[in-house]
Amino acid sequence: MRFSTICLLAALSCLAPSCKRLEAKLDRLARLAGITTPAEEEAQKKKAEPVLTPEQQALEAKVLNSAVFETVKHEDVAPKAVAFELNKSSTVAILGYHDFKERGGSPMIISGSKFAEQMKAIKESGIPVIPLSDVLEWRKGRKNIPEEAIVITMDDGWEGVHTYAYPVLKEHGFPFTVYLYKKYVNIGGRSLSWDQIREMMKHGCEVGSHSVSHESLRNKKGRNDADQQLWLLGELKDSKEFLEKNLGIACTSFAYPFGIFDESTTELALQVGYETLVTVNNQKVNWDTPMGKLGRYIIHGESDTNFKLATSFRGRGDVSSNHFLTASAKDEKGNALVELSPVPEELVKDRQPVIQAKLANLKTIIPESVKMRVAGIGTVPAQYDPATMVVSYQLPYKLRREDCAVTLNFKRAADQPDEVVSWRFKVDLAAAYVPAKLP
């Protein structure tokens, strides 16, 4: 009934000559048929809705114009790139050796057995040995190096390097740098041959220049200033090109003969193309050390004095005075002496982990001797529970680098040396940037 009435009204709207008369007729017909007209609907709607105050109108407009009703865009669930953060707090000790023989006997010669003893102490300490080129990359801001690290160098090019030092370094996987001077390469006698040098280069050896003649770079020998400058340029440039041509390398490091230099020599060496220049001034290298004045600790014969200075970091005893426990050390029954968490080399997703060491298998510990150090933070207020013999430390903030090194010192008895356990774990930085899964 209602549908047919609507059709009738539509037909009449097309035929009627007068709009006003037609509208009146349509209204009457619609009321008879029980149909609400558009005008009546609008009137009823306005009557039902309350009148909004100006404040309410403003609020309604604000809501309608906000982003609340925009279509939600799901974030990309792929891990975001983690920005590289450079660690500028690292410290490097550079060791300097000269010749090696079966027995020592002079400040320039160390016995093979003494050298092996020193390298073993470094290995057991857990302090990483890195190539000098890594120090350069660090200082260029391209990579991080360990919080504490050692670099090993040898001057002059004696054959004893290949005979005595190289096998020990190769066994431990230690990289090293040999500084050669042009007049003492491949000339027979006790000089290194090209074949020996190339062999060592295949197993972690880097090569630097030690000048042409190994004379003091400040000794003028009667030369005037102009001639001295030309001679100095030759000592720096010719030795560099000589090594690059014969070994097919980029020679970017220089060792001052006798450690003697001045500002003009350093400047000229940098202009020639050297990027690292090493001295003999018994100083560790840090972020602020000038690249033309990298300190070294020269080892004098059988004396351990400079070795101890070099391998003592931030107030800790040197590698030869402490007793180092490896993280994997076990007792006679095969039980781990120290249980570490996170375990060595573990990749953790928690950027604020609790660092723990369980020492119960060591039987006795002097509580006040327990000290923990975390790379990038320093000595931390770790808690030691004598009842459980557990050392723990909750990191106060999230780690921002992908590698974390921890060192734990303690004594088992007052008359015994400090024992040291060092380990490192890795942090999965990318995992922290993956958005949570959508429901």
Side-chain angles (χ1 to χ4, degrees):
M1 177 68 179
R2 179 169 296 187
F3 179 78
S4 60
T5 305
I6 293 173
C7 293
L8 175 62
L9 292 174
L12 290 172
S13 68
C14 297
L15 299 173
S18 173
C19 291
K20 288 185 178 181
R21 290 200 305 272
L22 176 60
E23 282 184 20
K25 291 180 180 179
L26 289 175
D27 287 344
R28 288 196 297 271
L29 289 172
R31 283 193 294 272
L32 290 172
I35 299 173
T36 303
T37 64
E40 290 175 333
E41 287 181 354
E42 185 65 25
Q44 292 175 4
K45 184 177 180 182
K46 289 182 178 180
K47 185 177 180 180
E49 293 179 354
V51 178
L52 299 179
T53 65
E55 293 79 5
Q56 291 172 328
Q57 292 175 5
L59 179 60
E60 182 181 51
K62 185 176 181 180
V63 171
L64 291 174
N65 292 329
S66 72
V68 172
F69 301 106
E70 290 182 1
T71 303
V72 177
K73 297 178 180 179
H74 296 302
E75 292 186 9
D76 188 356
V77 296
K80 296 180 180 178
V82 180
F84 171 70
E85 181 179 343
L86 187 66
N87 175 22
K88 296 184 179 181
S89 65
S90 297
T91 301
V92 181
I94 304 179
L95 297 173
Y97 295 89
H98 286 84
D99 197 5
F100 303 81
K101 287 187 177 181
E102 185 174 351
R103 296 180 181 179
S106 81
M108 303 297 287
I109 300 172
I110 184 173
S111 67
S113 59
K114 184 66 175 181
F115 179 74
E117 177 186 309
Q118 292 179 349
M119 295 302 103
K120 182 174 183 289
I122 292 175
K123 186 70 173 183
E124 291 179 349
S125 76
I127 300 174
V129 176
I130 64 174
L132 183 61
S133 56
D134 274 9
V135 178
L136 177 60
E137 289 297 293
W138 171 58
R139 288 294 300 273
K140 286 183 174 181
R142 295 175 178 171
K143 70 178 297 183
N144 279 321
I145 59 175
E147 190 81 5
E148 298 168 347
I150 292 172
V151 170
I152 299 170
T153 68
M154 290 95 169
D155 289 1
D156 302 340
W158 300 100
E159 187 180 33
V161 171
H162 183 269
T163 305
Y164 296 100
Y166 168 58
V168 175
L169 296 166
K170 183 180 177 182
E171 176 188 354
H172 293 310
F174 289 168
F176 60 103
T177 298
V178 174
Y179 287 102
L180 307 171
Y181 64 98
K182 183 177 179 179
K183 290 184 177 180
Y184 199 63
V185 178
N186 200 47
I187 62 170
R190 292 172 55 210
S191 68
L192 283 169
S193 69
W194 288 123
D195 287 343
Q196 289 171 328
I197 296 167
R198 292 189 183 98
E199 178 193 349
M200 293 190 298
M201 288 174 63
K202 294 177 182 178
H203 299 279
C205 176
E206 297 180 346
V207 175
S209 168
H210 201 28
S211 79
V212 171
S213 64
H214 199 287
E215 294 183 19
S216 168
L217 300 182
R218 295 187 65 185
N219 190 344
K220 297 183 69 171
K221 288 190 173 181
R223 292 182 287 265
N224 60 35
D225 289 346
D227 288 342
Q228 173 68 11
Q229 193 70 4
L230 285 174
W231 175 81
L232 183 58
L233 179 62
E235 289 288 313
L236 296 168
K237 188 170 183 291
D238 291 355
S239 59
K240 174 180 169 67
E241 293 176 347
F242 169 74
L243 294 172
E244 291 179 337
K245 178 181 178 181
N246 284 280
L247 296 174
I249 61 170
C251 182
T252 61
S253 190
F254 184 84
Y256 300 107
F258 311 106
I260 299 173
F261 66 98
D262 55 24
E263 295 297 332
S264 61
T265 302
T266 300
E267 181 60 31
L268 183 58
L270 294 172
Q271 291 177 6
V272 165
Y274 294 111
E275 297 183 273
T276 55
L277 295 98
V278 296
T279 70
V280 295
N281 63 359
N282 279 15
Q283 291 181 351
K284 291 184 173 67
V285 175
N286 55 44
W287 182 258
D288 297 319
T289 305
M291 297 300 283
K293 302 176 184 179
L294 301 181
R296 281 195 299 174
Y297 294 80
I298 301 301
I299 308 304
H300 299 295
E302 304 293 287
S303 172
D304 275 333
T305 301
N306 283 347
F307 181 78
K308 290 177 180 290
L309 290 172
T311 59
S312 177
F313 286 87
R314 293 180 171 92
R316 286 208 320 264
D318 62 90
V319 298
S320 59
S321 64
N322 289 323
H323 177 59
F324 287 88
L325 286 176
T326 62
S328 59
K330 294 179 172 35
D331 61 18
E332 63 278 1
K333 295 181 180 179
N335 300 315
L337 287 176
V338 181
E339 297 179 41
L340 305 170
S341 176
V343 300
E345 302 303 324
E346 180 182 357
L347 181 65
V348 300
K349 293 184 178 181
D350 184 0
R351 293 174 59 200
Q352 201 172 349
V354 175
I355 300 173
Q356 278 192 345
K358 297 180 181 179
L359 309 179
N361 287 339
L362 296 175
K363 308 302 182 185
T364 60
I365 294 290
I366 299 178
E368 56 270 22
S369 71
V370 178
K371 295 179 182 177
M372 180 183 287
R373 188 175 181 282
V374 179
I377 301 176
T379 301
V380 299
Q383 301 297 313
Y384 175 68
D385 182 355
T388 61
M389 298 182 69
V390 174
V391 186
S392 61
Y393 176 67
Q394 170 69 64
L395 284 164
Y397 50 79
K398 293 181 179 180
L399 294 169
R400 301 179 65 185
R401 293 195 294 270
E402 60 183 11
D403 185 88
C404 182
V406 184
T407 302
L408 184 66
N409 291 54
F410 54 86
K411 280 178 176 286
R412 297 198 213 188
D415 59 347
Q416 293 185 7
D418 277 7
E419 298 192 56
V420 183
V421 177
S422 297
W423 80 100
R424 63 187 61 239
F425 59 90
K426 300 184 183 299
V427 183
D428 188 354
L429 295 177
Y433 292 86
V434 179
K437 291 183 178 180
L438 297 172

